[in-house]
Amino acid sequence: MNIIVCVKQIPDPANPGALDGNNALKRDGKLILDESDSYGVEMALQLVDAAGGGEVSLVSMAPNSETAGLRTALAMGAAKAVLVSDPALQGSDALTTAKILAAAVQRLGGADLIIAATESSDGYTGTVPEQMAEVLGLPSVTFAKKVSIDGGVLKADRQTEAGYDEVTCPLPALISVTAGVVEPRYPSFKGIMAAKSKPVDEVKASDLGVTPVGWDGAGQKITSVTQAEARAAGEVIEDDGEAFGKIVAFLEGLKVI
Amino acid sequence: MAINNIWVFAQVSNGAPTSASLELVTKARSLGGSVGVWVAGDGSAVAAALGAHGATKVYGIDYGSNLAGAAVASAMKSVIDAGDSPDLVMFPQSYEGRDVMSRLSVKLDRTVLTNNIDIVASGDSVTVTTPIFGGNTLVATTFTGGAPYLAAFRPKSFAPESTGGAAAAVQVVGVPDLGATGTANVTAVHVEETTGPKLDEADIVVSGGRGLGESAKYELVEQLAKLLKGAPGASRAIVDAGWVPYSYQVGQTGKVVKPSVYIAAGISGATQHMVGMKGSKNIIAINKDKEAPIFGIADLGIVGDVHKVLPKLIEALQGR
Ligand SMILES: Cc1cc2nc3c(=O)[nH]c(=O)nc-3n(C[C@H](O)[C@H](O)[C@H](O)COP(=O)(O)OP(=O)(O)OC[C@H]3O[C@@H](n4cnc5c(N)ncnc54)[C@H](O)[C@@H]3O)c2cc1C
Ligand SMILES: Nc1ncnc2c1ncn2[C@@H]1O[C@H](COP(=O)(O)O)[C@@H](O)[C@H]1O
């Protein structure tokens, strides 16, 4: 069982986001593994384990040859990675990202299963995984919250607006997994040391034969950025044991009780 | 060229188009031209409701137990290839909507712009607006390259409005051979029972977050919601933790709510949560950390312990 996990490397979400001169999200500082993808990495490691053989590989597209997030996933137990880093990719839209990642998957020779997160923490278009499946001609199960593989067939509980569906799908396939599906492991010291020497194959868009990319390939242009009207804060009080009375009075004032 | 032919991907629930779908049909009609609406299954059952909101045509498509993505996108592509090509396709920012637009975007080699709350068409150019950074900043993006333009909208971006138009004509569209992409199948459907008003329609919403401490304490939220005849909601933290089903989630990847009163109990106010509830008319927050971002948008903020405030509040309301 060989599994490829999409790993996005993003600015630390603890810092407030900002736009650069081109109105793209700023990504110039240190990048980290998107927490949303840590679930995919963990799930891949567990599925390979359950299958009794195979390995987990990673694909990532990130600026400035960034590998910090990839190293975290390698330290968790992934074997190797393809990193696509190229100044020409700046300004790429989700469709171009999907084409690039699909080409990176092919560079690894494909896999039985490809795993992504339902949406990234910084871009959250939520379209990249399903676009990749279409580029690769694969079936897909998005929003999977429980996954198992039995005799070359994937079984998943797929979250829906009303509950969940049980879905089956033959391999090879692509899935996107929700947060909380599994508990991502912490890399061990041994894992962190081993990750330093694991292979990361860094390539450019031209090595993958994907054109056009970046601002040229994006079918969109940002035309304005404005501040939304801010909502003002009201009264904030410390509970002295009687604050519930304030809430009751507030609701009475609105005539909802 | 102007924006003459618009398609909407609609969803049907309990035999009626969802309100998110009717919002898009209403908006599409206001942009001018004809409005073709795609629905799963028997189009004639919803042709009247869709026509009343401005649909001129309904494309009905039956994809059986297949997942919607590849099936609907392929059928759309086949209709486009046959010469009936839209200038714009509007999708709800829902699970099925996301799958279909992603597949179609690759088939047509067109970008898709997601998470929008507004759209303006002028001549043959289309510009959409997306809130970022928790809704503090609005980004306007214009499509370049050619039509069809593909765009997805967050629920409650537009008000659905019936103009009493006639039932739309129905065209049944077959699903082309999907090859490998059509091999994911639904084998069982599980619907979670809910009682009381629907979360995205309720006039009062009481949501709980990780500050409740443990799953069993969510009962406080349910009790309060029931007393106020409102709906219980949740932050994603406790949905991911498995305390409540996904259908309870409020926020960027959950429901958008705009009730008269929103009560947030033990919720920090992450940007992704606020984007789903900051349109509420009145916001009450209870959080033990006076620095919690939720207080920045609350009309009434209580710095206190939910385990002390909620039981007393519930008792006071029960006594009325
Ligand atoms: C791409 C993406 C999409 C997301 N979509 C959503 C979404 O749709 N909806 C959503 O909600 N989140 C979403 N999130 C997650 C979001 O970033 C936050 O992680 C989440 O909202 C936090 O939930 P919380 O407020 O319950 O938990 P926390 O942030 O952990 O906050 C708990 C709060 O409870 C308070 N507290 C603790 N104990 C008590 C007590 N005894 N009494 C009172 N207060 C107490 C604490 O002070 C704290 O402020 C998304 C994240 C990403 C990356
Ligand atoms: N640049 C990237 N590198 C690796 N994986 C990515 C990248 N962009 C998106 N993905 C994957 O696709 C998912 C959805 O991304 P998005 O469409 O941006 O919300 C992410 O959570 C990742 O799993």
Side-chain angles (χ1 to χ4, degrees):
Chain A
M1 175 73 43
N2 289 319
I3 301 182
I4 295 175
V5 185
C6 300
V7 163
K8 193 169 183 187
Q9 305 179 87
I10 63 166
D12 191 335
N15 304 326
L19 298 177
D20 66 17
N22 286 321
N23 284 325
L25 280 176
K26 263 206 164 106
R27 292 200 171 86
D28 46 3
K30 181 181 176 302
L31 304 178
I32 60 170
L33 169 66
D34 186 344
E35 193 209 313
S36 309
D37 283 321
S38 63
Y39 301 95
V41 174
E42 178 62 38
M43 176 172 286
L45 292 168
Q46 290 185 13
L47 289 171
V48 164
D49 230 26
E55 61 181 17
V56 176
S57 307
L58 311 168
V59 292
S60 186
M61 170 176 136
N64 309 325
S65 303
E66 181 66 63
T67 57
L70 281 175
R71 293 288 171 207
T72 304
L74 291 168
M76 288 172 73
K80 60 181 191 289
V82 172
L83 169 67
V84 192
S85 193
D86 189 341
L89 288 168
Q90 224 232 333
S92 291
D93 60 358
L95 179 56
T96 306
T97 305
K99 289 178 188 170
I100 290 281
L101 292 173
V105 163
Q106 271 154 346
R107 189 176 172 90
L108 283 164
D112 300 300
L113 182 65
I114 298 158
I115 303 183
T118 53
E119 58 267 315
S120 60
S121 299
D122 61 342
Y124 56 84
T125 67
T127 56
V128 168
E130 186 79 357
Q131 286 171 324
M132 279 179 76
E134 180 66 23
V135 173
L136 293 165
L138 292 177
S140 60
V141 182
T142 46
F143 313 100
K145 57 173 195 171
K146 196 175 133 208
V147 178
S148 63
I149 292 170
D150 190 9
V153 176
L154 176 105
K155 283 200 171 69
D157 287 353
R158 178 177 189 260
Q159 194 163 280
T160 62
E161 329 273 331
Y164 69 97
D165 289 350
E166 289 174 47
V167 179
T168 62
C169 175
L171 299 180
L174 180 146
I175 60 174
S176 71
V177 297
T178 59
V181 273
V182 285
E183 190 63 46
R185 69 193 66 182
Y186 285 105
S188 64
F189 179 70
K190 212 174 127 223
I192 294 169
M193 294 314 288
K196 294 196 163 122
S197 56
K198 287 182 176 170
V200 175
D201 172 21
E202 186 179 330
V203 297
K204 300 233 173 297
S206 54
D207 299 325
L208 298 171
V210 180
T211 53
V213 297
W215 299 109
D216 293 341
Q220 65 194 69
K221 193 170 142 261
I222 293 178
T223 41
S224 82
V225 176
T226 50
Q227 290 307 305
E229 207 177 303
R231 196 186 165 110
E235 187 188 7
V236 179
I237 57 164
E238 299 264 354
D239 180 29
D240 55 358
E242 300 299 321
F244 73 92
K246 276 275 192 188
I247 301 180
V248 173
F250 188 84
L251 295 173
E252 273 173 344
L254 296 173
K255 299 198 164 44
V256 294
I257 54 170
Chain B
M1 190 199 97
I3 304 304
N4 289 323
N5 186 15
I6 302 176
W7 282 359
V8 173
F9 174 66
Q11 283 174 281
V12 175
S13 160
N14 297 324
T18 62
S19 87
S21 306
L22 295 178
E23 288 161 23
L24 295 188
V25 176
T26 305
K27 186 64 191 179
R29 182 190 72 215
S30 80
L31 296 174
S34 61
V35 180
V37 182
W38 286 75
V39 293
D42 182 10
S44 55
V46 285
L50 292 169
H53 285 79
T56 39
K57 188 167 180 180
V58 169
Y59 300 89
I61 161 170
D62 186 357
Y63 46 89
S65 66
N66 259 209
L67 294 187
V72 178
S74 295
M76 286 179 164
K77 175 75 163 53
S78 71
V79 171
I80 292 170
D81 287 346
D84 173 6
S85 189
D87 303 307
L88 167 71
V89 189
M90 298 170 78
F91 297 89
Q93 188 79 32
S94 63
Y95 281 12
E96 307 305 354
R98 276 167 57 170
D99 281 3
V100 176
M101 66 181 137
S102 302
R103 293 267 179 187
L104 187 64
S105 120
V106 174
K107 286 181 192 297
L108 300 177
D109 198 22
R110 289 287 179 277
T111 203
V112 48
L113 296 178
T114 52
N115 291 301
N116 301 300
I117 56 167
D118 202 3
I119 180 167
V120 177
S122 153
D124 53 9
S125 125
V126 170
T127 301
V128 290
T129 305
T130 325
I132 60 166
F133 303 148
N136 292 332
T137 304
L138 300 174
V139 178
T141 309
T142 303
F143 286 95
T144 59
Y149 304 128
L150 312 180
F153 298 86
R154 296 169 52 75
K156 295 213 164 59
S157 295
F158 314 107
E161 198 189 312
S162 165
T163 50
V170 179
Q171 176 179 338
V172 178
V173 183
V175 179
D177 180 12
L178 302 174
T181 64
T183 53
N185 282 296
V186 177
T187 54
V189 175
H190 299 262
V191 175
E192 268 128 14
E193 294 296 329
T194 51
T195 54
K198 283 175 68 182
L199 178 55
D200 48 359
E201 289 166 8
D203 194 43
I204 298 187
V205 172
V206 185
S207 286
R210 187 141 49 192
L212 292 168
E214 52 173 331
S215 166
K217 289 289 190 290
Y218 188 77
E219 207 187 302
L220 292 170
V221 169
E222 281 175 323
Q223 272 184 21
L224 182 57
K226 199 164 172 201
L227 279 167
L228 295 171
K229 299 188 181 58
S235 72
R236 171 152 140 186
I238 71 168
V239 172
D240 286 345
W243 297 4
V244 293
Y246 167 71
S247 54
Y248 285 51
Q249 184 176 314
V250 173
Q252 180 179 299
T253 42
K255 300 239 156 51
V256 176
V257 301
K258 293 187 174 174
S260 303
V261 184
Y262 187 87
I263 304 181
I267 291 179
S268 60
T271 54
Q272 298 94 345
H273 186 78
M274 299 216 271
V275 89
M277 46 66 78
K278 70 192 287 186
S280 306
K281 280 197 208 72
N282 298 280
I283 297 171
I284 303 175
I286 308 164
N287 194 304
K288 70 174 184 194
D289 172 11
K290 68 174 190 307
E291 304 293 331
I294 191 80
F295 288 133
I297 61 161
D299 300 285
L300 175 62
I302 308 289
V303 182
D305 185 345
V306 287
H307 304 115
K308 297 203 175 109
V309 179
L310 288 182
K312 282 189 188 161
L313 178 59
I314 289 167
E315 203 188 300
L317 292 172
Q318 274 166 342
R320 294 169 65 96

